[in-house]
């Protein structure tokens, strides 16, 4: 009888030890899983922090890059990337038309482009215009339609005290109806009737 009790006690003891070992195994597994979970969370937080730092640096660099692109565009297109048909000269922008029209229509066309018919008030600008027009007829912003013989620049520049470059014998008001000026052979100025169809030159300041 004692042997039976002893045997039962040993079995219980073994079962208890086995149960305790199983509990320890489960505890170890759960502990490892917990540590793994904490490690994953930590790595995620570190990665998120790095991404945030990189994003912040990119945001700092981006305005500088935009400014660099802006500077490059200004060097390539000083009159503006959207005004590539305009030419730069001495602080202003110039458009040389590819179509002919009357002086009045040319004036209106320039105004639609936020500009005006060119004012030639210096020998340097005259040379620039002369080189570009190559003996073709181009309207300029000069007229005496308000009073015959009283020539006026459309922007109010004083005609009497500024540069002129009339062709010899011009202006002559042929047929008593030549009230608008254009550049012609060798860039010299000529008066002609304002409904005559010429090319035209628009002028505007540099964009802000």
């Amino acid at each position: 009888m004692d042997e039976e009790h002893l045997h039962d006690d040993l079995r219980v003891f073994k079962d208890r030890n086995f149960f305790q070992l199983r509990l320890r195994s489960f505890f170890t597994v759960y502990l490892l899983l917990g540590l793994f979970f904490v490690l994953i969370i930590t790595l995620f937080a570190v990665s998120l922090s790095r991404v945030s730092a990189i994003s912040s640096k990119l945001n700092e660099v981006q305005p500088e890059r935009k400014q660099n692109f802006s500077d490059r565009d200004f060097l390539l297109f000083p009159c503006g990337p959207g005004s590539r048909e305009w030419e730069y000269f001495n602080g202003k922008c110039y458009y040389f038309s590819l179509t002919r029209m009357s002086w009045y229509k040319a004036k209106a066309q320039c105004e639609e482009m936020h500009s005006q018919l060119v004012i030639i008030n210096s020998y340097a600008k005259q040379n620039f215009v002369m080189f570009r027009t190559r003996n073709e007829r181009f309207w300029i912003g000069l007229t005496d339609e308000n009073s015959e013989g009283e020539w006026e620049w459309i922007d109010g520049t004083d005609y009497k005290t500024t540069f002129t470059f009339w062709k010899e014998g011009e202006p002559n008001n042929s047929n008593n109806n030549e009230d608008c000026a254009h550049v012609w052979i060798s860039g010299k100025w000529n008066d002609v009737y304002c409904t005559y169809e010429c090319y035209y030159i628009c002028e505007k300041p540099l964009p802000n």
Side-chain angles (χ1 to χ4, degrees):
M1 196 72 176
D2 290 336
E3 279 187 31
E4 271 183 43
H5 284 298
L6 181 61
H7 184 69
D8 289 338
D9 289 340
L10 286 174
R11 184 183 302 165
V12 170
F13 180 74
K14 287 181 180 180
D15 290 341
R16 188 180 298 168
N17 284 343
F18 177 76
F19 181 71
Q20 288 178 349
L21 288 174
R22 291 293 297 272
L23 283 177
R24 289 177 184 174
S25 298
F26 284 130
F27 178 77
T28 303
V29 170
Y30 287 133
L31 180 62
L32 290 175
L33 286 174
L35 290 174
F36 180 73
F37 181 74
V38 171
L39 180 62
I40 292 296
I41 294 296
T42 303
L43 289 175
F44 178 76
V46 170
S47 299
L48 190 63
S49 176
R50 288 183 178 178
V51 169
S52 177
I54 292 172
S55 177
S56 178
K57 288 182 179 179
L58 286 176
N59 288 334
E60 292 176 2
V61 171
Q62 193 170 2
E64 183 179 348
R65 290 183 65 187
K66 286 182 179 178
Q67 183 64 36
N68 289 340
F69 286 140
S70 177
D71 292 344
R72 183 185 66 182
D73 287 344
F74 178 77
L75 291 174
L76 293 174
F77 311 108
C79 296
S83 302
R84 300 185 183 190
E85 69 275 17
W86 291 75
E87 299 182 29
Y88 172 80
F89 174 75
N90 198 27
K92 290 189 176 181
C93 299
Y94 299 86
Y95 173 78
F96 295 83
S97 78
L98 301 176
T99 56
R100 298 182 179 94
M101 58 187 65
S102 71
W103 187 87
Y104 301 109
K105 287 183 178 180
K107 180 175 180 291
Q109 190 68 28
C110 288
E111 289 171 353
E112 284 185 15
M113 295 189 288
H114 308 289
S115 60
Q116 63 181 11
L117 285 171
V118 66
I119 309 301
I120 304 177
N121 53 10
S122 70
Y123 190 70
K125 189 183 288 189
Q126 172 64 39
N127 278 340
F128 167 69
V129 168
M130 180 169 58
F131 176 78
R132 277 294 283 103
T133 53
R134 299 182 182 277
N135 296 330
E136 287 285 358
R137 300 172 185 255
F138 280 79
W139 290 123
I140 60 178
L142 185 61
T143 179
D144 72 341
E145 64 176 348
N146 291 328
S147 178
E148 179 56 39
E150 297 293 325
W151 289 91
E152 300 174 328
W153 291 107
I154 58 174
D155 73 337
T157 295
D158 188 357
Y159 169 81
K160 294 180 181 179
T161 60
T162 53
F163 174 85
T164 59
F165 203 68
W166 292 104
K167 184 177 179 289
E168 186 177 351
E170 302 295 345
N172 61 4
N173 194 33
S174 178
N175 296 322
N176 296 316
N177 69 344
E178 294 188 333
D179 295 330
C180 294
H182 64 178
V183 296
W184 192 14
I185 299 173
S186 299
K188 290 186 178 292
W189 306 353
N190 177 55
D191 61 339
V192 70
Y193 54 95
C194 298
T195 54
Y196 186 84
E197 293 193 344
C198 292
Y199 298 108
Y200 57 93
I201 309 167
C202 299
E203 175 182 31
K204 68 179 180 180
L206 282 174
N208 294 327

